[in-house]
Amino acid sequence: MKKHYPAIAALLILFLFPSPMQAQKTLPADMEIELHYGADRLGKRPDQAMQKFRENRLGAFIHWGLYAIPGGEWEGKVYNGAAEWLKSWAKVPADEWLQLMQQWNPEKFNAKRWAQMAKEMGVKYVKITTKHHEGFCLWPSQFTKYTVANTPYKKDILGELVKAYNDAGIDVHFYFSVMDWSHPDWRYDLKNEEDEKAFQRFLTFTDNQLKELATRYPTVKDFWFDGTWDASIKKNGWWTAHAERMLKDLIPGVTVNSRLRADDYGKRHFDSNGHLMGDYESAYERRLPDPVKDLQVTKWDWEACMTIPENQWGYHKDWSLSYIKNPVEVLERIVHAVSMGGNMVVNFGPRPDGDFRAEEKELAKVIGKWTARNGECIYACGYAGWEKQDWGYYTAKGHHVYMVVFNRPYSGQLTAKTPKGTQIIKASLLNGENIKVTETARNEYNVSMPKHEFNEPFVIKLEIKSSESTTNKYREALT
Ligand code: JFZ
């Protein structure tokens, strides 16, 4: 029976997390219902802080907590479900699980080296699990005893990381799980008055922790909420709106993901009128929108996140149980996201000793070599509005469109179709080498393959000219 837990969990997740695709049915303006806790704003946030979030495009996720210690194994049994959920798979009571704190002593932890690795990979921001579902805090919280301060290691891991990443010019985002398995007042649902009271105490505790994080680490740029899918939260939509506002009052410009929010009717991510809540959509997890069918995602900001194995966020000692994506597969997902106007965050699950596993270090290095040469097609780039072709993805920035080629055509010709009123004036490799372009029909071009062979995805930079009217029309369509 136990064997089936991962399958059951997968099914549960399908039911618990509605596909973001169901969310886009907006009502005609005159039929909208009144909401107190719906979207605060329509359309993309236009300010500089949001612009920075958007231009960063590539981020890293760090899932690090007590779960790294058992690494997917409990009492001699290896569980292939997500390692950070092991407490749940192995049905470990909270007090027993939290005793892992006595073993928390990451002797090889070196925040500067972590920052160096992120920098070399070319990520512009790092999302750190301040507290995952287990409840263990990477900072010395005053509001619980389950923190790094009460481990043999003692030191404020989060503080060291914030400083090291910021010193390296990398933005820090905080992952925060509202669901907290260590807290006696956490409830999945509210069935009686006692539950209601306990849960209000829990929300006060959560507010205190959030205020603590925002005031101790004022350079944080983003809060990415998780563990907000239960009935208890959905019945307290007011609190999700309040938490977002509270953080925004404390930290001007801070961004917040849609996963936090529930409206007056418990509708999540998108409110009952179909409007995105929070600053960016965060439901694309380990999957991406279809580059042809789901173009509606270009209307809002969004961020996807992915694991390198199939579904392991925290450290799991046995990666042989899963298919491990190679660097080109990871790169393709990054470019795919950018081509549709989104961000991509690649996850790392550090080992309990504070080092990264060899496979992750290697992957970060390979991605870094590529971004160092080709990052121009990622950072500050977005949706081009051109018809998708089979050779790969377009990304765009100002008067340039980048062709990022993942599939080499045998014909030696790459087809490009431009929108009406747009012409290709010039094509080149990123090193400046000229590429031949032939206009084959109205708004259709053959772009020649580079003369020398590439053994990795390569980029052709197009200089384009659009008549003013079409540029404006295209911009309007996007907002
Ligand atoms: C959550 C966590 O449970 C998981 O451990 C990890 O931290 C991940 C980043 O987030 O898992 C989810 C949350 C939402 C969906 C799927 C898994 N979803 O919306 O499809």
Side-chain angles (χ1 to χ4, degrees), residues 193-400:
E193 215 175 303
E194 164 48 30
D195 284 345
E196 299 271 358
K197 277 197 197 135
F199 201 66
Q200 293 312 310
R201 286 195 301 269
F202 180 80
L203 293 179
T204 305
F205 156 75
T206 305
D207 277 354
N208 286 334
Q209 285 206 320
L210 291 173
K211 277 187 250 173
E212 188 180 42
L213 282 170
T215 44
R216 280 183 68 101
Y217 314 103
T219 63
V220 62
K221 296 288 184 272
D222 173 88
F223 279 80
W224 197 92
F225 285 91
D226 193 19
T228 43
W229 48 75
D230 286 296
S232 52
I233 303 275
K234 290 199 258 180
K235 289 176 182 170
N236 282 281
W238 71 272
W239 176 81
T240 68
H242 148 82
E244 180 175 341
R245 209 162 309 134
M246 178 180 81
L247 291 171
K248 288 181 171 175
D249 286 346
L250 289 168
I251 303 178
V254 79
T255 52
V256 175
N257 67 336
S258 64
R259 193 176 289 182
L260 167 67
R261 296 289 302 276
D263 76 1
D264 313 38
Y265 299 93
K267 184 96 176 44
R268 299 189 55 235
H269 293 280
F270 290 83
D271 69 17
S272 299
N273 292 321
H275 304 307
L276 180 69
M277 295 180 286
D279 299 314
Y280 60 96
E281 203 251 26
S282 58
Y284 282 103
E285 191 179 289
R286 298 184 297 116
R287 64 201 172 86
L288 281 162
D290 184 286
V292 178
K293 286 187 230 136
D294 300 332
L295 285 175
Q296 59 193 330
V297 301
T298 60
K299 290 187 195 138
W300 48 78
D301 287 304
W302 58 277
E303 176 190 72
C305 52
M306 63 173 285
T307 50
I308 301 169
E310 191 191 339
N311 183 19
Q312 293 292 347
W313 298 90
Y315 173 75
H316 193 292
K317 57 176 79 167
D318 192 357
W319 264 19
S320 75
L321 298 171
S322 175
Y323 176 74
I324 306 299
K325 293 176 197 75
N326 67 45
V328 175
E329 290 172 292
V330 174
L331 275 174
E332 179 155 2
R333 284 164 175 79
I334 295 168
V335 175
H336 179 160
V338 175
S339 77
M340 299 185 73
N343 288 19
M344 178 53 91
V345 183
V346 182
N347 183 68
F348 293 82
R351 299 158 46 100
D353 65 4
D355 201 356
F356 287 84
R357 68 199 313 145
E359 299 96 319
E360 288 183 347
K361 286 194 218 174
E362 177 60 20
L363 186 119
K365 206 178 282 172
V366 178
I367 303 269
K369 278 195 184 136
W370 194 87
T371 53
R373 284 191 292 264
N374 305 291
E376 193 183 328
C377 73
I378 294 176
Y379 310 121
C381 287
Y383 176 58
W386 291 20
E387 188 189 309
K388 171 91 172 78
Q389 302 295 327
D390 291 336
W391 44 255
Y393 303 89
Y394 292 111
T395 67
K397 179 164 53 189
H399 287 284
H400 290 113

Side-chain angles (χ1 to χ4, degrees), residues 142-161:
Q142 299 296 307
F143 302 99
T144 173
K145 54 183 189 232
Y146 307 120
T147 83
V148 277
N150 301 318
T151 66
Y153 188 75
K154 292 198 180 72
K155 286 178 275 180
D156 175 5
I157 300 246
L158 188 62
E160 288 187 41
L161 285 174

Side-chain angles (χ1 to χ4, degrees), residues 17 63 84-85 132-133 175 224 226 229 259 285 313:
F17 308 113
H63 273 73
E84 73 283 2
W85 278 77
H132 205 266
H133 310 333
Y175 165 106
W224 197 92
D226 193 19
W229 48 75
R259 193 176 289 182
E285 191 179 289
W313 298 90

